[in-house]
Amino acid sequence: MAVLENKISVRNLCKTYEMKGNSHEVLRNMSFDVRENEFLVLLGPGQCGKTVLLNILAELEQPDGGEIVFAGGRPRMGEIGFVFQKYALFPWKTVMGNVEMSLKLRGVDKETRRAAAQEYIDMVGLSGFEKALPKQLSGGMKQRVGIARAYASEASIMLMDEPFGALDAQTRYQMEDEILRICEKKKRTVVFVTNNVEEAIYLGDRILLLSSRPSSVKEEYVVDLPRPRKHTDPAFLALRNRIVSNTDLNI
Amino acid sequence: MKLKKKNQIKYFLLSVLGLAAFFGIWELSVRLGWVSDRTLSAPSAVIETLIRKLTDAKPDGSTLPQHFWQSLKLALSSFLVAVVVGVPLGWVMGYYKVADRLLTPLFEILRPIPPIAWIPIVILTMGIGMRAKIFIIFLAAFVPCVINSYLGIRLTDPVKINVAKTFGASPFKIFTTVCIPSSLNMVFTGVRLSLNSSWTTLVAAEMLASSRGLGYMIQLGRTLIRPDIIIVGMITIGITGALLNKLLALLEKKIAPWRYRDEA
């Protein structure tokens, strides 16, 4: 593999919430690097501040301390794609309307944005559903729209916040293969958050195991298993056991 | 399948029975003289009057369609003004903090005053003409429009706002492309409530000097001791209100076909 450059450097990120006089420290001195075009998985127990971390990366929230350095300078809003756990599609827009929205907001003319959106709709396998409303789609299909929508913004960085967390196991496996196929086709820097160890090993080039709150990076695992990976592969299981025995229980 | 059909017939018959019993007892109580026909008319008499009033202007000066049309114009024009003013106001109050802080306290004080309580002051300041009536009905229709549009904006899913933010949308664009569409179902609820209250305030507003309208007809029915005319007016108001409600529900299905709180 070629030497990958750092796309994002996160240094000493801190975040504390004040709620009803209690302070909840969510992130403590969180530091890590994200390399260009890698699939980085952030694996952590529930409630460990993974969503907060992604929100800070996307500038939806501000950190209390620390810094984030992007190669080539701080991306403007619209230059980071975000796939949300609960799909968050716009129910009044069709599949096409949802996917083309970022381009529309940027003032791209109708013909160009339709063509671009169509490419991503085809990519996630929703050809023929352009005119469907979200409520007519299944959970897996909704998240396909969510992925197409994030990719259509042409952002070079994709943040994915437990995108398959709400799906049933069967659909989840399907979508994991789907996202790998898409990443193969459209090289982007992906930061993927999950609380599922198997999902992390199945997808990631690299896994950062987070500690429970206040969370920081506990351990880094480089997954050098060939793809497609098998959940029953001894090397897969060995890595799984190593990670599980190192995971903080969240009570 | 057969059982289901059997049940359906059973329940239909029950509904018919309920209505028949109601009107039967009503008819009997007048016919048998339990209630004087000077205070309550039998359903048969009401239907007779209803049919006659379709073309006959006696004794109140106008036919039923003329009264109806007058009232409909009055209620709908006030209602439309309330929607056109109230809905955007609620949107702006819901989204912009300055508008919220500036207007909400005032609104909270005005809100609990029933529209009828405005009548005396409206008569003093605006007289008893058409303008005064429109204003009173407007007040009744205005409040639910503002409240529901305001809430619709406030209840916008914050994650959807975040989606728009990651697209680089400006606050104004977020307002117009995310908050307003997601408020629409709430807005329609408000518009329906406001149509109801404009229609129900109609009678009160037409108590101000008028010479035509359903409210006027009802009032005159009381003066002339004609319960049949009063009931004809009440029924017309009831049926029209129900129909207008249905019409709005259809319009909502057309404009905002996604369902309220539809998780997407």
Side-chain angles (χ1 to χ4, degrees), chain A residues 60 77-80 82 84 86-92 101-102 105 133-135 142 149, chain B residues 157 159-160 162-169 173 177-178 181-182 257-259 262-264:
Chain A
L60 295 171
M77 281 310 236
E79 292 180 350
I80 291 185
F82 208 123
F84 293 85
K86 289 192 177 142
Y87 321 137
L89 304 181
F90 299 108
W92 55 90
M101 187 162 174
S102 64
L105 281 168
L133 284 174
K135 72 168 181 182
K142 281 180 191 166
R149 181 175 67 176
Chain B
D157 176 8
V159 181
K160 294 198 175 85
N162 275 348
V163 173
K165 277 187 187 163
T166 64
F167 290 163
K173 273 282 178 195
T177 58
V178 180
S182 71
W258 63 91
R259 214 162 306 127
D262 182 22
E263 260 322 306

Side-chain angles (χ1 to χ4, degrees), chain A residues 182-199:
Chain A
I182 291 167
C183 287
E184 198 57 43
K185 205 167 170 186
K186 298 271 172 192
K187 275 290 177 197
R188 304 279 171 90
T189 304
V190 178
V191 180
F192 187 103
V193 159
T194 184
N195 56 19
N196 184 309
V197 186
E198 285 83 8
E199 185 168 82

Side-chain angles (χ1 to χ4, degrees), chain B:
Chain B
M1 198 59 199
K2 224 172 184 177
L3 197 76
K4 208 175 159 194
K5 196 149 194 190
K6 224 172 167 182
N7 274 335
Q8 266 178 357
I9 295 172
K10 200 170 85 186
Y11 291 133
F12 176 73
L13 286 177
L14 273 175
S15 300
V16 172
L17 187 71
L19 283 172
F22 175 75
F23 284 107
I25 292 170
W26 177 4
E27 181 82 38
L28 275 179
S29 54
V30 178
R31 291 252 169 137
L32 298 177
W34 299 341
V35 188
S36 158
D37 62 359
R38 284 175 63 82
T39 55
L40 185 71
S41 304
S44 53
V46 170
I47 292 170
E48 221 182 286
T49 306
L50 175 71
I51 293 168
R52 194 174 49 76
K53 278 299 293 172
L54 286 176
T55 50
D56 189 357
K58 272 183 270 178
D60 42 82
S62 304
T63 63
L64 183 60
Q66 284 172 324
H67 285 306
F68 170 75
W69 184 235
Q70 172 72 19
S71 293
L72 193 70
K73 268 196 306 195
L74 178 61
L76 284 190
S77 54
S78 321
F79 161 75
L80 283 180
V81 176
V83 170
V84 168
V85 177
V87 171
L89 184 69
W91 279 339
V92 169
M93 277 165 66
Y95 193 70
Y96 293 103
K97 206 160 199 158
V98 174
D100 187 13
R101 288 288 154 85
L102 188 70
L103 297 173
T104 303
L106 179 68
F107 193 73
E108 287 295 327
I109 294 172
L110 295 181
R111 190 168 74 128
I113 303 173
I116 298 169
W118 283 86
I119 293 181
I121 192 78
V122 170
I123 292 178
L124 283 182
T125 53
M126 305 177 90
I128 48 177
M130 195 68 176
R131 224 159 44 109
K133 284 175 211 143
I134 288 182
F135 185 67
I136 287 162
I137 300 176
F138 163 80
L139 282 171
F142 180 64
V143 172
C145 276
V146 175
I147 295 175
N148 281 274
S149 311
Y150 175 85
L151 281 179
I153 296 286
R154 282 308 182 87
L155 292 176
T156 306
D157 176 8
V159 181
K160 294 198 175 85
I161 293 177
N162 275 348
V163 173
K165 277 187 187 163
T166 64
F167 290 163
S170 65
F172 180 72
K173 273 282 178 195
I174 291 174
F175 178 48
T176 55
T177 58
V178 180
C179 295
I180 287 180
S182 71
S183 76
L184 279 185
N185 291 101
M186 277 293 262
V187 169
F188 265 102
T189 308
V191 167
R192 286 237 291 269
L193 287 172
S194 120
L195 183 64
N196 275 336
S197 53
S198 60
W199 198 237
T200 48
T201 315
L202 184 74
V203 178
E206 282 179 344
M207 278 193 214
L208 303 179
S210 52
S211 55
R212 190 172 280 175
L214 293 170
Y216 167 76
M217 191 178 95
I218 289 175
Q219 280 302 311
L220 207 75
R222 195 202 56 171
T223 316
L224 298 174
I225 320 181
R226 287 287 302 273
D228 53 335
I229 289 182
I230 297 176
I231 296 168
V232 165
M234 288 167 69
I235 289 174
T236 311
I237 288 175
I239 291 175
T240 313
L243 285 179
L244 287 175
N245 228 328
K246 250 310 181 270
L247 209 69
L248 263 185
L250 285 176
L251 193 69
E252 175 175 10
K253 244 186 180 161
K254 193 100 192 146
I255 296 179
W258 63 91
R259 214 162 306 127
Y260 176 52
R261 281 185 178 282
D262 182 22
E263 260 322 306

